[in-house]
Amino acid sequence: MAETTASRPLVIGLTGGIGSGKSAVADLFAEQGITVIDTDIIARQVVEPETAGLAAVVERFGRGVLAEDGQLDRARLRQQVFADEKERKALESILHPLIRTEMRRQVRSAASSYCIVCIPLLLETGQSDSVDRVLVVDTTPEQQVGRTLRRDGSPRETIEGILAAQASRQERLNRADDVIDNTGTREALKPQVAVLHREYLLLAVSDRRAGARSS
């Protein structure tokens, strides 16, 4: 990231495929008192009614992407752009700069010595330069499909299509600095998070010292 380590906390980019368990892991870090920044939440905030983001989306994709109450109909927009790479990239060109700006603002405001930034498409969208370390939540494709089916009831074909459009399991593991194994139970996540929490606290102290020496 552009800021020096002395002016911001250590930034851990949390990622993983659909249904991998990113939210469960993020919640466990939050329980440790760590600031968690969720880019999915930011993505909704930047297209709320009367925002420049929503106006830009409507200008590009038409008023058909709006619900009756003036909110963005995310399901309709997703259906419109999902199968068309050109349309998807057009949407990303509108949203990603807005999301990154707000993400950086929240990182600078983080109250903890390191922060978790949850970016589902961290690797696919080339955002690894926005974080100091990449933490991957790993599970099997079969578990991803099963968890997503139970969570939101989307058709299996839709879920499998999303999986196919994301980085593969091996691609994520190849680019990870740290990995949390979520092929087991939620309880099995807790000791893994505890170990990484201690490591990140030590890294954050080292980063601050290095930043102080170079400033």
Side-chain angles (χ1 to χ4, degrees):
M1 300 181 72
E3 298 94 341
T4 66
T5 54
S7 63
R8 60 161 176 80
L10 181 75
V11 181
I12 308 300
L14 174 64
T15 194
I18 184 173
S20 59
K22 297 180 295 295
S23 295
V25 170
D27 288 345
L28 290 171
F29 277 105
E31 290 175 10
Q32 300 283 350
I34 298 304
T35 297
V36 174
I37 299 165
D38 189 333
T39 58
D40 276 348
I41 293 175
I42 295 174
R44 291 192 288 272
Q45 293 171 338
V46 299
V47 290
E48 288 178 348
E50 300 184 9
T51 61
L54 182 59
V57 170
V58 171
E59 181 179 358
R60 175 62 178 78
F61 297 98
R63 298 192 63 82
V65 299
L66 293 178
E68 291 184 3
D69 61 0
Q71 299 274 350
L72 179 65
D73 187 328
R74 297 174 67 85
R76 191 180 303 171
L77 177 61
R78 187 183 306 115
Q79 185 178 23
Q80 184 171 330
V81 306
F82 179 73
D84 189 323
E85 184 176 2
K86 181 180 178 182
E87 294 289 272
R88 179 173 55 81
K89 288 186 179 299
L91 179 62
E92 291 172 352
S93 70
I94 294 170
L95 298 183
H96 286 179
L98 299 173
I99 294 168
R100 290 188 188 197
T101 296
E102 176 60 17
M103 181 187 77
R104 286 192 290 266
R105 187 195 69 77
Q106 292 190 24
V107 165
R108 291 193 297 270
S109 301
S112 48
S113 59
Y114 75 88
C115 66
I116 298 291
V117 181
C118 187
I119 309 178
L121 299 179
L122 173 67
L123 303 178
E124 292 88 339
T125 55
Q127 295 189 70
S128 55
D129 61 342
S130 298
V131 303
D132 297 307
R133 294 183 71 82
V134 174
L135 170 58
V136 168
V137 183
D138 179 55
T139 190
T140 68
E142 293 77 15
Q143 287 174 309
Q144 288 179 261
V145 172
R147 288 169 181 164
T148 307
L149 282 170
R150 290 191 295 272
R151 183 183 68 197
D152 57 24
S154 296
R156 176 177 288 272
E157 295 77 13
T158 299
I159 297 169
E160 290 176 345
I162 293 171
L163 277 172
Q166 295 182 343
S168 71
R169 182 183 188 185
Q170 193 57 53
E171 285 170 337
R172 286 195 192 89
L173 292 174
N174 288 344
R175 298 178 65 181
D177 296 300
D178 306 295
V179 176
I180 285 183
D181 178 1
N182 193 23
T183 58
T185 65
R186 183 185 174 93
E187 285 300 308
L189 295 175
K190 292 182 178 180
Q192 297 181 74
V193 169
V195 169
L196 286 174
H197 174 60
R198 291 192 292 271
E199 291 181 4
Y200 292 156
L201 288 175
L202 292 173
L203 284 172
V205 171
S206 299
D207 271 13
R208 283 200 302 271
R209 288 173 178 168
R213 286 196 298 270
S214 62
S215 60

